Amino acid sequence: MRRTRAAHAALVLARVLLAASPAYIHPDEFFQAPEIAAGDILGVDVLRTWEFAPLAPVRSIAPIYLYAGTPLALLRAAGWLLQRLGGWRLELTPWRLVCVSRAFMAVASLAVDACLVRAVRRLNPGARMQATMLLLASSHCLAVLCCHTFANAFAAIVLAACLDLLSLIEARCVRRAAGSVALPCAALGAALALGAFTHLTFGAFALPLGVAAAAMLARYARRGLLAVAGGGAAAALGLMAADRLYYGSSTPTVLNNLRYNSSRSNLAAHGIHPWYMHLAVSLPVLFGPLALLAAAKAWCWARAPASWSRTSYLSAAAAGSVVVGLAALSAVPHQEPRFLIPALPGLVLCTWRWHRLALARFWYLWVAFNVILAVAFGVVHQAGVVPVLGYVSSTSVLPAVDCRSVPSDPAHAVCTAATGSTHASTAAGTDPPRVRTRVLFVSTYMAPRHLLAQPVAPDALQARVELHDLVGMDDGEIRREIGRSVHVSCSLLRQSNGSELVVRQTRPGRFERTLVVLPASTDMARIEPPDAAAGYELVPLYSYRPHVDFDDIAAVLRHPWQRARLGVFAVCANAPS
């Protein structure tokens, strides 16, 4: 038992460490929650996607504030407290913003461990859960995906809480354990409503729980049905009221989301997949041997009708959650593996009696599978985007700058961070210089704007950054976009040091430069013009490794040390542009 606790503690520590990694799994982990919460709570410049359009929003704001806004509010409170106590200023760096959000999700994900183990032990006193604890804690789905700010991850946490509440209701109704069912029934209704407003797919996984609870309560405690309905209705009304106050729209976000995802033409913009995508790809990638174990358990259960009558409501709900969720999501033409994250609690509860035997026989396979996937998605995948934003933020997001014209080339200037809080020219009554750095991201995921922590007011900073994602452009369009940008002198750029910004004057007191962010796995010949003397050059300024784009995995595997990195390049020209 002591060794099990030590191993479980080590796995929890690994989960926290993976949460601190800059790996970037999918843009939705930023743009569907932290980007919006940061704009509202921290007052920074953000990009609001179409999902938050006031006329027809499809994302409910209360769950976003709950799992993405809470850590940012705590960070803001910590900054205020440090300023009050000692005059210290808490810098909002990209790494700090990412770590705070993911650390909160890592702590919240521990609820999955606690809820599932408690649910089993409540109905099976004396059950040996050591193998289940280790299997669950070592799953990369929980240790990596559930620690990123996905709505699907929060939905999995809510679903685990619902299963825990269902086991409590069953213990008090069927097993005649002490206590009233009214409070857990109301809590179950509220949790189901919260999950439904968190992500549209939650309903498919939660439907069997609602059916099981209704069947059980109708037989043993009919008043509990009113408590479930009351708790769900109260929570749903509260969530809709929050959306009404935030967006000003009277149509529930859940209906807007359902209407949007019911259109095949809308889903085509995100990608159309075959119906078997989840079964053939998503399940193996997310759960690996656990999915095979669940399939074997289902086969054995189907061949033993005598055991059906002994199946608990909790087990039936867990199995139904996986089956109905998988079937419903497979019927939707747009499919992504993370949509199946809420299947984890059901899979674990369905197979918990077999975990000890399975780990004894297939422990090395389980460990190898999860280590490989944890490293792939939790360490290296698109891992350079956040550090690159850190570099850009530290060099190009400045409250005040000093700019000196280059005597040999008056069209250029060299700017550095001003030592004082304001530029010297401000005291003299002149307009301070303004420096703009345009950053073009090529062949990477979208860069979250909130990580730069730039105030919304354009004059709050003398040096600002504009991020541009060249997504969907072919090579010719990318070259034309870079060619139209501001080019600085290559000779001046190579003579400068790392703390200086070589910029080009666009008008009096206004300066600009252009950076390109590019993975090393991309062929530079695709981006640079055929004739560098007549066009532009890309001068490297910074790089970060490891950074792997799975679309270019073949190039990375051929030369991993050289290609598994993300670089920042300055655009310059030998001739005036």
Side-chain angles (χ1 to χ4, degrees), residues 304-487:
S307 65
W308 295 357
S309 61
R310 299 193 301 270
T311 302
S312 66
Y313 287 98
L314 176 67
S315 298
S321 175
V322 176
V323 173
V324 174
L326 178 61
L329 269 61
S330 296
V332 179
H334 175 63
Q335 303 176 18
E336 296 183 29
R338 61 189 170 86
F339 291 171
L340 291 189
I341 293 176
L344 177 63
L347 286 171
V348 171
L349 290 183
C350 287
T351 58
W352 73 270
R353 295 183 186 275
W354 288 20
H355 291 166
R356 187 179 179 188
L357 177 62
L359 290 185
R361 294 189 176 184
F362 307 110
W363 174 248
Y364 294 109
L365 175 62
W366 176 255
V367 170
F369 167 77
N370 285 286
V371 167
I372 292 172
L373 271 296
V375 172
F377 290 111
V379 178
V380 302
H381 187 254
Q382 294 282 341
V385 174
V386 173
V388 159
L389 288 175
Y391 167 78
V392 171
S393 176
S394 63
T395 59
S396 306
V397 179
L398 305 171
V401 291
D402 284 315
C403 294
R404 305 181 306 276
S405 297
V406 178
S408 59
D409 188 353
H412 285 81
V414 176
C415 299
T416 57
T419 55
S421 59
T422 57
H423 190 265
S425 61
T426 305
T430 60
D431 189 29
R434 303 289 178 184
V435 178
R436 182 178 70 162
T437 299
R438 296 182 72 243
V439 185
L440 311 180
F441 280 79
V442 180
S443 298
T444 71
Y445 280 169
M446 293 174 62
R449 274 60 172 169
H450 77 277
L451 296 184
L452 294 177
Q454 297 185 117
V456 176
D459 294 334
L461 300 171
Q462 291 183 18
R464 295 182 68 93
V465 169
E466 287 184 6
L467 302 180
H468 299 270
D469 303 290
L470 307 188
V471 179
M473 291 188 178
D474 58 31
D475 296 346
E477 291 174 320
I478 293 174
R479 286 195 294 267
R480 285 191 291 272
E481 182 66 26
I482 298 176
R484 288 193 295 264
S485 63
V486 173
H487 305 162

Side-chain angles (χ1 to χ4, degrees), residues 99-120:
C99 282
V100 165
S101 296
R102 292 181 181 172
F104 180 83
M105 288 297 292
V107 173
S109 72
L110 295 175
V112 177
D113 303 70
C115 288
L116 298 187
V117 171
R118 186 168 54 201
V120 172

Side-chain angles (χ1 to χ4, degrees), residues 6 22 46 58 90-91 96 99 148 193 197 231 267 306 321 326 351 395 398 410 413 418 445:
V46 298
V58 300
L90 184 64
E91 295 288 342
R96 184 167 291 150
C99 282
H148 287 235
F197 278 79
L267 297 179
S321 175
L326 178 61
T351 58
T395 59
L398 305 171
Y445 280 169

